[in-house]
Amino acid sequence: MSDDTVIRQITDSWRRIEAWLEHHAPVTHAALGSGATQEEIDAAEAALGIAVPVELRTLWGLVSGGSTGGYGLFLGNAMLIGLDEVAEVYRSKMREQADEEEADIVWNSAWVPVFSSNCHDTVSGTYLNTETGLLWNWTKFAHQPPDDDEQDSVVTYLEKLADYLEYPDMAPDRPGTVEGALAWRSFVGEDESWRPA
């Protein structure tokens, strides 16, 4: 796909997500960080020391985060890691790799952390493999990438998120709200204030 196509697809999906949040989860919508400037994205890229693909640069230009009341906007109750924290998590993971005495791959320099349970989480999350353009999961204790048919690009991930919000019967986890904040059903436990969206 051309860069223009990628930018349009990501922007269209993000606009669908924003519109859903504004209508169904206004607290989460209000908590969304504004997009980063190109200068901020360039600085993050320089801090990482690797080229960041256009799809991730586009996402960062649209939103810089979003979590309310402990509930994450993204799939798996995840939040988007802020630009400053991306470099912090990346450096931490690279230190872990350098300290690894055996041949196990703990982290690769081509991986950019994107989502986690909180902005400083180095135990688990989702990263973008900049060499393949695919999102993979990481844990501190094991690197078990999902099967190829489970992997998404940033484009397909955002399209899937928008679809799940708009058509919750498609979603593996039901979107709903707690006091106006988006909350995925499997992460709210027995909270009686949760309402399906």
Side-chain angles (χ1 to χ4, degrees), residues 149-172:
D149 62 351
E150 295 177 3
Q151 291 178 264
D152 286 304
S153 66
V154 175
V155 170
T156 58
Y157 179 93
L158 291 175
E159 288 174 344
K160 186 183 291 185
L161 175 58
D163 288 345
Y164 288 169
L165 293 174
E166 292 174 347
Y167 307 101
D169 289 340
M170 294 176 55

Side-chain angles (χ1 to χ4, degrees), residues 40-162:
E40 290 169 331
I41 295 170
D42 289 344
E45 186 176 61
L48 292 168
I50 60 172
V52 175
V54 65
E55 54 266 43
L56 189 51
R57 291 181 66 92
T58 302
L59 178 60
W60 287 343
L62 294 167
V63 62
S64 61
S67 177
T68 306
Y71 302 117
L73 160 60
F74 297 92
L75 301 175
N77 199 46
M79 65 175 287
L80 183 66
I81 303 172
L83 288 190
D84 291 339
E85 290 79 15
V86 165
E88 177 184 320
V89 172
Y90 180 85
R91 285 190 293 268
S92 173
K93 299 304 289 180
M94 289 301 293
R95 282 193 300 272
E96 287 177 22
Q97 181 61 49
D99 293 342
E100 184 63 35
E101 293 180 5
E102 298 180 18
D104 293 339
I105 299 296
V106 175
W107 199 257
N108 182 297
S109 61
W111 300 346
V112 177
V114 180
F115 305 111
S116 66
S117 62
N118 69 66
C119 61
H120 301 290
D121 185 357
T122 60
V123 175
S124 64
T126 302
Y127 65 85
L128 176 66
N129 183 332
T130 61
E131 294 175 338
T132 65
L134 297 175
L135 294 166
W136 296 53
N137 297 324
W138 92 77
T139 70
K140 182 174 183 176
F141 306 106
H143 177 68
Q144 300 292 331
D147 295 332
D148 288 347
D149 62 351
E150 295 177 3
Q151 291 178 264
D152 286 304
S153 66
V154 175
V155 170
T156 58
Y157 179 93
L158 291 175
E159 288 174 344
K160 186 183 291 185
L161 175 58

Side-chain angles (χ1 to χ4, degrees), residues 10-23 29 32 59 73-74 157-163 165-166 182:
I10 288 176
T11 302
D12 288 351
S13 293
W14 183 250
R15 297 299 176 229
R16 290 171 58 201
I17 294 164
E18 278 188 314
W20 188 95
L21 292 171
E22 186 174 20
H23 186 261
H29 184 265
L32 292 175
L59 178 60
L73 160 60
F74 297 92
Y157 179 93
L158 291 175
E159 288 174 344
K160 186 183 291 185
L161 175 58
D163 288 345
L165 293 174
E166 292 174 347
L182 172 64

